[in-house]
Amino acid sequence: MRIPLLVFLAIFPLVLASQTYDVVGSVKDTDGKPLPFANVILLKALDNTQVKGTLADESGHFILQGIPEDVYYLQAKYFGYKSTLVALEIKRNIQIGALILEPDSELLNEVVVTGQKPTIERKADRIVFNVENTVLGEGSSWDILRNAPGVIVMQDNLEIRGQTATVYLNDRKVQLSAREVQEFLKGLSGDMISSVEVIPNPPASFEAGDGSILNIRTKENLTPGYKGNVRGQYTQGVFPKYSFGTSHYFKNDKVGIFLNYTINPRKEFKSTDGGVNFINDQNEVFARWNTDIGETIRSQDQQFNLMFDYKPSERDLINFTSNLSFSPNKEIVNELRTEMRNGAGVLDSTMQTLSPIDEDLVNLSFDLNYERKLKKDGENLKANVHYTYYDLARLQRGSSDYFDPADTFLRNFTFATDAMQDINIFTARVDYYLPLESGSFETGIRGSWINTDSGIDYFDVNTNLPPFDIALSDNFEYREGVYALYGSYSQDWEKWALKLGLRAEQTNVEALSVTLLQINKQNYFELFPSFYLSRKLGEENSLTFDYSRKINRPKYSDLNPFRYFLNENNYLEGNPNLVPNFSHNFNLNYSIKDTYFFDVYYRDNGRYISTLTFQDNENQVLRESKQNVQKSTSYGLDFTISTAINDFWSLYFYNSVFYEDETLLAEESTIETYTNKVTGYYGYLNNTLSLSKDGTFTGDLSFSYLSQFLFGSYKVSEIVILNVGLRKTLWNNRGVISLVGEDLLGMARGRLTSRYANQDNSLRERPETRFVRLGFTYKFGNYRLNNINRNLRKSELQRLENE
């Protein structure tokens, strides 16, 4: 806490600018559309020597700072467009509006796109993972996100710096639980994705309850005409898997349409081995249970995506987006074998459980967006309305047979559950953005409403009781409304940059367990400030400090009190008594030449909502549930290298030394509280290689190592992941063939261990993380004109800035 505060106090005083000035503007094409990442160069009029150079951002805006008084030429360059020279006499700060570039028809007729931007770009507040035209882009969106730098997969959760990440799609939140998000991403083709932004500490425009964010950005059809593709994949893991899809783009001056369909017939397998040592009041182990679980999943997930753009005028844009994913007749079969031994290790009995689950899932979402360009260049007004409909029906049957040591049948226990869940999510927001002379102001208002109705009936087949067990069956209703008002102001000086943000949120929650007549009401108003301050140190280095306050709300799936059984001795349940927790997030970044990055971060997680597992020694039951811990902290030091070694080799190396702890109520234990803590190291090395002179053959090699980390009441052992990928374009870029091998060492999942007081249990899951995938894509139509702006190398940008 003291170190960031002292640094802040040291760099806070702002210095007055000397007699230099700034040039602010944007780069656009003849249709008024921005040209992102265009090169902007300032030349002396006297001898045409370069004075300054910069790169426009994703919206085409640029700023040249610290320009002495003189006469210059301003030049914009963009691949596929004719450059232009604009004469400027600089005596004050200048806002020039837009530099208009015309397409170079001769160059465009010849171009075949084979290059790409650096795969990974490190920015002050985020990591941009560019996957377009890469090996990873040939897989699913789930494959892309779980391989993003700094992302760890833990029991199918995506985590960044020890906290669950929220998934966004084009700056709009995917309003689903972690399990549901995974199913959605598995069906979303990576062919649609341009990049993923990894944002550990997001600004005020994002929801205060989101924590870390993974923001998926889809491709844009930048050029007129029609293009499309068909693609297929074969994946060999434990079982073979297939994927087929097709995408179609059409664009003219007024209308743009994108259609995508993907089907994934899959058979997947996950094995889990777990052990529990049950301990009596004398602190002695009196029973040892070891369980092997095999989970086989058969599914035929399908996904349809539609994006429709309509431009009624030069200033207006209307967009409609729809995503439909459905998984009919999904079958999940759990097979368990448990050996139950006494404290001396002598076999008492065995239990064999067969638990099949049938699921039908439909997830449908709609987005309607409107954007209006206002009078001032860059000033705009945006509005969005979103609706999500989610319907799940699940039937489970469980049957356990018990045998003595001689394998003689003893007894049977059989049960069944019938569960359903309907979710309706509606959101609306309006945002206003105003560029200022050396900064910007943005503000917005947002509302979200979530209604869920869930029900589960539990049937005990062994008895002649009423048709379901009242003690376990329930109906659960959840209503949530969140209303937010937010704003931020940014200002740039010669060497300083400042951004202040404030978000105000009112939350109303009502959760009702109909059968248990248990009502949980929450109503609270909170403020969430954010602060960003940056100082340039010379021409190429910078120091940045940022802070934000966040909230972690209980999810409806966490508040739901239902029990889901693996067998009668092993289940998970929700907790209707959860309350929101608040966190304070600090980060200090030192950047050297936009190549070397040092981050010191500290996070006070407060009463973090954690996934905890407890063993009931008396009844020999293992229970997993959610709980507000008493307190939790995380801090660490990150070091990143992001550079082009040469023309054919780009390297990204991320290192993190970290500490994290959680103090939890030790339920079912002989002690009141327990502090679970760990110190660890995480390293991620990514190499992007161009294996041919013409850039048509590329490769990707990545290696991850994680020494250990926390997952609720568990410590997780080391994880090692080695992935290799190759990508080759064929027939003048009409065809793409890719080959990927993941988790080649078979060490992508660690063992979870919980040992304290009278708690002693562990497990290790082994899903199909080790596989080889072969993919092929064939493109047709006007494919050669796609995203001609992407061939930018970091070495070239550095050369422009240094010349």
Side-chain angles (χ1 to χ4, degrees):
M1 293 287 292
R2 292 184 178 179
I3 293 176
L5 180 60
L6 290 174
V7 173
F8 165 71
L9 292 175
I11 63 177
F12 182 78
L14 303 178
V15 295
L16 295 175
S18 59
Q19 292 302 310
T20 59
Y21 305 98
D22 298 340
V23 177
V24 179
S26 61
V27 185
K28 298 182 179 181
D29 63 14
T30 52
D31 292 328
K33 294 185 177 180
L35 295 178
F37 310 109
N39 290 323
V40 181
I41 301 169
L42 192 69
L43 308 171
K44 273 196 173 183
L46 182 63
D47 54 8
N48 281 346
T49 59
Q50 183 172 321
V51 178
K52 286 278 186 179
T54 190
L55 191 68
D57 62 17
E58 292 183 352
S59 60
H61 290 87
F62 68 89
I63 179 170
L64 293 166
Q65 298 177 318
I67 311 300
E69 183 176 328
D70 208 334
V71 178
Y72 301 89
Y73 288 121
L74 184 65
Q75 183 178 37
K77 293 184 177 181
Y78 196 79
F79 185 72
Y81 288 79
K82 296 178 181 179
S83 61
T84 183
L85 287 174
V86 176
L88 291 178
E89 183 177 5
I90 297 180
K91 295 182 178 180
R92 64 185 186 282
N93 292 333
I94 296 177
Q95 186 165 353
I96 63 169
L99 296 172
I100 306 300
L101 299 187
E102 297 181 355
D104 189 336
S105 58
E106 294 182 1
L107 181 58
L108 288 177
N109 288 334
E110 295 295 327
V111 66
V112 175
V113 179
T114 57
Q116 61 187 47
K117 295 194 302 180
T119 305
I120 302 173
E121 297 175 276
R122 179 62 164 85
K123 297 186 177 180
D125 65 340
R126 68 192 63 191
I127 300 167
V128 181
F129 189 35
N130 298 294
V131 296
E132 188 173 355
N133 297 326
T134 67
V135 176
L136 271 178
E138 305 300 318
S140 70
S141 299
W142 175 256
D143 295 325
I144 292 171
L145 262 64
R146 63 185 177 82
N147 283 286
V151 176
I152 299 168
V153 180
M154 191 63 244
Q155 290 193 335
D156 297 329
N157 286 317
L158 300 167
E159 296 190 354
I160 301 172
R161 288 181 176 176
Q163 61 179 341
T164 301
T166 302
V167 176
Y168 272 66
L169 183 62
N170 293 323
D171 295 323
R172 295 187 292 273
K173 184 177 180 178
V174 179
Q175 300 272 10
L176 297 170
S177 70
R179 176 183 176 276
E180 295 150 4
V181 165
Q182 180 186 0
E183 296 300 322
F184 170 75
L185 294 174
K186 282 183 176 180
L188 187 65
S189 172
D191 177 73
M192 295 178 57
I193 296 180
S194 171
S195 64
V196 175
E197 297 174 342
V198 183
I199 314 175
N201 196 6
S205 57
F206 292 93
E207 293 185 40
D210 290 339
S212 300
I213 284 175
L214 292 168
N215 187 29
I216 300 171
R217 295 202 177 275
T218 56
K219 295 179 181 178
E220 294 182 16
N221 193 17
L222 299 177
T223 53
Y226 166 78
K227 61 181 179 178
N229 67 57
V230 292
R231 56 191 181 274
Q233 292 178 0
Y234 169 79
T235 302
Q236 181 62 59
V238 177
F239 299 113
K241 282 164 278 292
Y242 308 91
S243 176
F244 307 96
T246 180
S247 298
H248 302 270
Y249 303 80
F250 172 78
K251 179 179 174 61
N252 61 24
D253 292 340
K254 292 286 187 181
V255 175
I257 301 174
F258 169 75
L259 296 170
N260 176 73
Y261 172 75
T262 306
I263 182 170
N264 292 284
R266 303 173 70 86
K267 183 180 180 181
E268 301 172 277
F269 180 78
K270 180 172 71 173
S271 64
T272 303
D273 65 272
V276 184
N277 293 327
F278 292 105
I279 301 172
N280 59 25
D281 293 339
Q282 289 73 44
N283 203 31
E284 298 172 341
V285 176
F286 69 89
R288 303 178 189 273
W289 289 21
N290 295 305
T291 301
D292 291 320
I293 306 172
E295 182 182 59
T296 304
I297 304 173
R298 291 177 174 86
S299 62
Q300 193 165 316
D301 298 341
Q302 300 178 62
Q303 187 151 151
F304 178 79
N305 311 101
L306 166 67
M307 298 182 188
F308 176 80
D309 291 328
Y310 174 62
K311 190 176 180 180
S313 71
E314 289 298 319
R315 291 183 175 272
D316 298 288
L317 176 64
I318 299 172
N319 167 266
F320 174 78
T321 300
S322 178
N323 298 297
L324 168 64
S325 61
F326 54 100
S327 180
N329 304 316
K330 184 175 183 178
E331 299 178 356
I332 306 169
V333 178
N334 292 295
E335 297 181 82
L336 294 77
R337 176 179 171 82
T338 302
E339 292 185 347
M340 295 170 280
R341 300 176 182 271
N342 63 21
V346 178
L347 183 65
D348 285 334
S349 59
T350 61
M351 176 175 60
Q352 296 182 15
T353 301
L354 180 64
S355 177
I357 300 173
D358 297 322
E359 282 188 358
D360 286 290
L361 169 66
V362 176
N363 176 27
L364 178 62
S365 67
F366 300 97
D367 275 280
L368 182 62
N369 302 283
Y370 171 72
E371 180 178 353
R372 170 72 176 178
K373 296 179 181 178
L374 303 178
K375 293 183 179 180
K376 188 174 182 180
D377 182 47
E379 183 184 13
N380 62 66
L381 185 69
K382 296 181 179 180
N384 167 260
V385 178
H386 170 88
Y387 173 71
T388 290
Y389 171 74
Y390 177 90
D391 179 75
L392 172 68
R394 175 189 290 160
L395 293 173
Q396 179 185 14
R397 300 172 301 281
S399 178
S400 297
D401 293 330
Y402 291 81
F403 301 87
D404 68 11
D407 209 26
T408 301
F409 176 77
L410 296 175
R411 63 184 178 90
N412 171 269
F413 178 81
T414 303
F415 69 93
T417 63
D418 184 358
M420 56 74 63
Q421 185 173 50
D422 289 329
I423 304 173
N424 291 273
I425 302 172
F426 179 80
T427 66
R429 65 183 295 171
V430 177
D431 295 280
Y432 170 72
Y433 179 83
L434 174 67
L436 304 175
E437 184 174 347
S438 296
S440 66
F441 171 75
E442 55 186 318
T443 186
I445 186 170
R446 182 184 188 276
S448 67
W449 300 266
I450 300 176
N451 295 323
T452 74
D453 293 298
S454 308
I456 187 168
D457 291 339
Y458 179 90
F459 300 85
D460 185 349
V461 181
N462 295 93
T463 69
N464 294 316
L465 295 175
F468 54 87
D469 187 338
I470 298 294
L472 296 173
S473 302
D474 197 5
N475 289 314
F476 183 72
E477 299 176 358
Y478 179 84
R479 307 288 182 261
E480 176 186 282
V482 179
Y483 311 90
L485 176 66
Y486 47 90
S488 65
Y489 168 79
S490 66
Q491 181 68 50
D492 293 335
W493 292 270
E494 181 182 4
K495 294 183 178 296
W496 294 84
L498 172 69
K499 187 170 185 178
L500 299 173
L502 182 64
R503 188 181 186 95
E505 289 191 354
Q506 171 66 41
T507 303
N508 302 323
V509 172
E510 181 175 308
L512 169 64
S513 174
V514 176
T515 303
L516 302 178
L517 295 177
Q518 187 174 14
I519 301 176
N520 183 342
K521 289 188 176 182
Q522 300 176 12
N523 296 281
Y524 50 91
F525 174 81
E526 295 288 342
L527 296 175
F528 302 95
S530 61
F531 174 83
Y532 171 95
L533 183 65
S534 179
R535 172 72 156 91
K536 287 187 177 181
L537 305 175
E539 290 295 324
E540 299 180 307
N541 308 330
S542 65
L543 187 67
T544 301
F545 171 74
D546 63 89
Y547 161 79
S548 66
R549 183 177 186 250
K550 296 291 181 180
I551 183 175
N552 181 25
R553 295 184 182 88
K555 298 179 175 60
Y556 50 85
S557 55
D558 298 339
L559 291 167
N560 191 328
F562 297 171
R563 290 182 179 181
Y564 293 101
F565 290 84
L566 204 53
N567 57 39
E568 59 269 31
N569 298 97
N570 191 338
Y571 63 88
L572 60 92
E573 65 179 357
N575 180 2
N577 298 314
L578 293 173
V579 296
N581 76 282
F582 302 90
S583 64
H584 298 274
N585 306 268
F586 303 85
N587 193 84
L588 180 67
N589 170 262
Y590 178 52
S591 171
I592 303 175
K593 297 183 178 180
D594 287 331
T595 300
Y596 307 98
F597 302 86
F598 297 87
D599 287 88
V600 177
Y601 71 88
Y602 175 86
R603 190 171 68 242
D604 178 0
N605 301 305
R607 299 196 63 197
Y608 184 70
I609 300 173
S610 188
T611 303
L612 307 178
T613 300
F614 302 104
Q615 63 188 64
D616 179 350
N617 290 291
E618 181 178 354
N619 296 306
Q620 294 179 282
V621 171
L622 196 64
R623 168 176 58 90
E624 179 184 301
S625 66
K626 296 285 187 177
Q627 184 188 95
N628 286 99
V629 300
Q630 301 301 291
K631 60 180 181 179
S632 173
T633 56
S634 307
Y635 54 84
L637 171 65
D638 296 352
F639 170 61
T640 306
I641 302 174
S642 180
T643 188
I645 304 298
N646 49 41
D647 289 340
F648 60 86
W649 179 13
S650 295
L651 178 144
Y652 178 89
F653 190 23
Y654 173 79
N655 302 266
S656 180
V657 179
F658 61 87
Y659 168 86
E660 52 188 10
D661 64 46
E662 292 184 13
T663 300
L664 54 98
L665 285 175
E667 297 181 7
E668 309 289 355
S669 179
T670 55
I671 58 177
E672 183 177 350
T673 61
Y674 169 67
T675 300
N676 198 18
K677 56 186 176 182
V678 71
T679 301
Y681 166 77
Y682 171 67
Y684 175 86
L685 176 64
N686 177 269
N687 299 271
T688 304
L689 305 169
S690 180
L691 303 176
S692 63
K693 290 184 178 180
D694 60 1
T696 61
F697 186 29
T698 59
D700 186 273
L701 174 66
S702 66
F703 177 81
S704 301
Y705 174 77
L706 180 59
S707 62
Q708 57 179 344
F709 66 104
L710 294 186
F711 183 74
S713 51
Y714 287 112
K715 287 186 175 71
V716 186
S717 65
E718 73 173 6
I719 293 173
V720 182
I721 304 175
L722 176 63
N723 298 335
V724 178
L726 298 171
R727 182 181 188 271
K728 172 66 177 176
T729 60
L730 308 168
W731 310 315
N732 241 354
N733 203 37
R734 281 195 180 273
V736 178
I737 188 169
S738 63
L739 180 65
V740 174
E742 289 202 11
D743 189 22
L744 299 182
L745 304 178
M747 301 174 64
R749 293 296 177 97
R751 175 166 290 278
L752 287 72
T753 303
S754 179
R755 290 196 179 101
Y756 64 92
N758 63 353
Q759 303 288 298
D760 188 353
N761 59 86
S762 67
L763 68 100
R764 183 171 186 174
E765 296 181 335
R766 294 183 176 89
E768 289 186 72
T769 57
R770 192 178 191 183
F771 61 81
V772 176
R773 182 178 66 237
L774 178 65
F776 178 75
T777 301
Y778 180 76
K779 305 175 184 178
F780 45 84
N782 197 19
Y783 71 97
R784 298 176 70 180
L785 297 179
N786 181 36
N787 293 340
I788 56 177
N789 60 309
R790 302 304 188 190
N791 192 20
L792 297 171
R793 291 187 178 274
K794 184 177 176 67
S795 56
E796 294 173 340
L797 304 182
Q798 292 175 334
R799 175 178 57 79
L800 286 173
E801 293 174 354
N802 294 333
E803 284 182 353

